[in-house]
Amino acid sequence: MSRRKRLVEAAGAIVLRRPKGRRVQVLLVHRPSYNDWSLPKGKLDPDEYLAAAAVRETWEETAFAIRLRHPTNRIQYPIPTGTKRVAYWLGTVIGQRRFKPNSEVDRRVWLSVPSALKRMTYADERELLEHAVTLPETTPLLIVRHGKAMERKNWSGKDQLRQLSSRGRRQSKQLVPLLDAYGVAELDSSASTRCMTTLVPYAKAKRLDVQGWATLSEEKAKDNPDAVRKLMKRLIKQTAATGVPRAICGHRPVLPLMLEALGVPDRPMLTAAVLVAHLSPDGETVSVEWHKPRA
């Protein structure tokens, strides 16, 4: 009996830079075991978000710390155990450490795009690079549904004070590397406890404050949906104008209004699910990506 083939998920980055007075360059790595030149990439760790894996693998293979920008196409190809599917994002360097050649990656190089296209081993990665350099400059804005909360029937206090369950607390911790992958530096939330608490682990890790908005609570939004639309438009405009990535945490009944402001059709979101909207400088949504909770 033949063994069942499986799908292996992986993630990588097309890391670009533009040295002063020079053309755009892309980061490539050489893998001695394959004797190939390729984009940095690798398989997911257990319960890891794809976007977080792209950042981690780039760091491990190249010693460059990056932040993700616009998503690119995915590629897939056969491997002995089944199929590997790799998701890629544009990446920007924000830091680095000393690179130490090893058995997995022994060289890294910055090349102009024409030179990289000649050097790269795989045709599908060359197509990715050709597409990536045409993508517009964008800023990510993340919409987060709060983590799993305690059941209403088990909570005797005010609903606005209802707390996260143990599962919700695990979800909030697992959101940290995802928000960090996009360089989130502004945090907004419904003023309700279960929303604010969802962003607290990331806020503590990055020494940020969470701005709570009563307007985004279930109770206020039900009575005044126009206020939600107005606030969202203001936050979207501010994010696009400053270029500072932002995350906004909300409730299931309020999410349709929040997505509407981004021009995104309503769609069910599980607890701790995340929508990433990539905004143009004028605040238009260029593309979106969805991330399911890992717990």
Side-chain angles (χ1 to χ4, degrees):
M1 181 181 294
S2 62
R3 298 177 63 181
R4 184 178 179 181
K5 300 293 186 179
R6 65 189 183 100
L7 175 66
V8 176
E9 296 278 7
I14 303 170
V15 185
L16 303 178
R17 72 178 185 182
R18 186 189 293 273
K20 187 174 181 181
R22 300 176 66 182
R23 294 186 293 178
V24 173
Q25 296 179 332
V26 62
L27 178 64
L28 299 182
V29 297
H30 180 263
R31 301 183 299 175
S33 59
Y34 296 95
N35 191 27
D36 63 5
W37 285 96
S38 63
L39 301 166
K41 61 182 179 295
K43 294 184 292 186
L44 274 66
D45 285 342
D47 295 329
E48 186 176 32
Y49 287 97
L50 277 168
V55 172
R56 176 184 56 77
E57 283 290 340
T58 301
W59 172 250
E60 292 177 357
E61 291 192 351
T62 71
F64 283 112
I66 66 168
R67 288 295 174 261
L68 302 185
R69 294 162 51 200
H70 203 288
T72 70
N73 296 328
R74 300 187 181 194
I75 62 174
Q76 65 180 45
Y77 48 88
I79 56 176
T81 58
T83 300
K84 178 178 282 188
R85 183 168 63 196
V86 191
Y88 287 91
W89 284 260
L90 285 178
T92 301
V93 173
I94 60 168
Q96 62 180 305
R97 64 181 178 186
R98 182 182 177 186
F99 174 71
K100 296 181 180 179
N102 55 69
S103 59
E104 184 176 359
V105 174
D106 61 352
R107 283 182 283 173
R108 63 175 192 183
V109 294
W110 288 99
L111 296 175
S112 68
V113 173
S115 295
L117 291 171
K118 293 179 182 178
R119 180 82 64 92
M120 295 168 74
T121 304
Y122 305 109
D124 50 6
E125 290 194 354
R126 291 196 294 270
E127 291 177 5
L128 279 178
L129 176 57
E130 289 176 321
H131 172 67
V133 295
T134 69
L135 294 173
E137 290 289 333
T138 57
T139 302
L141 186 150
L142 285 66
I143 302 296
V144 182
R145 183 182 173 189
H146 66 73
K148 181 66 176 177
M150 295 178 62
E151 298 292 338
R152 295 178 193 266
K153 63 183 180 181
N154 297 329
W155 181 257
S156 58
K158 291 184 178 181
D159 191 64
Q160 296 97 317
L161 301 178
R162 188 155 50 96
Q163 299 180 4
L164 295 179
S165 65
S166 58
R167 180 186 174 196
R169 292 192 293 273
R170 289 196 303 273
Q171 290 175 328
S172 67
K173 291 178 181 178
Q174 288 187 328
L175 285 170
V176 173
L178 179 63
L179 272 59
D180 189 40
Y182 295 97
V184 169
E186 295 285 350
L187 297 171
D188 296 272
S189 171
S190 157
S192 298
T193 299
R194 55 192 180 277
C195 272
M196 297 283 287
T197 307
T198 297
L199 297 181
V200 163
Y202 183 76
K204 287 184 176 180
K206 297 298 176 180
R207 298 183 179 180
L208 299 172
D209 294 324
V210 182
Q211 174 65 59
W213 299 93
T215 300
L216 296 178
S217 69
E218 289 190 44
E219 297 76 15
K220 294 290 185 180
K222 181 179 179 180
D223 294 334
N224 194 352
D226 284 341
V228 176
R229 296 185 180 98
K230 183 177 180 181
L231 174 61
M232 284 298 302
K233 288 181 180 179
R234 177 152 63 94
L235 295 177
I236 291 168
K237 182 178 180 181
Q238 182 180 356
T239 302
T242 61
V244 177
R246 179 186 303 269
I248 310 173
C249 188
H251 306 266
R252 178 182 55 79
V254 189
L255 289 172
L257 292 170
M258 299 170 69
L259 298 184
E260 176 189 310
L262 288 163
V264 177
D266 184 27
R267 150 176 173 173
M269 291 178 67
L270 299 171
T271 54
V274 178
L275 159 75
V276 184
H278 296 271
L279 306 177
S280 67
D282 61 2
E284 295 297 317
T285 300
V286 174
S287 66
V288 298
E289 50 181 308
W290 302 84
H291 297 273
K292 295 180 179 180
R294 306 301 294 179

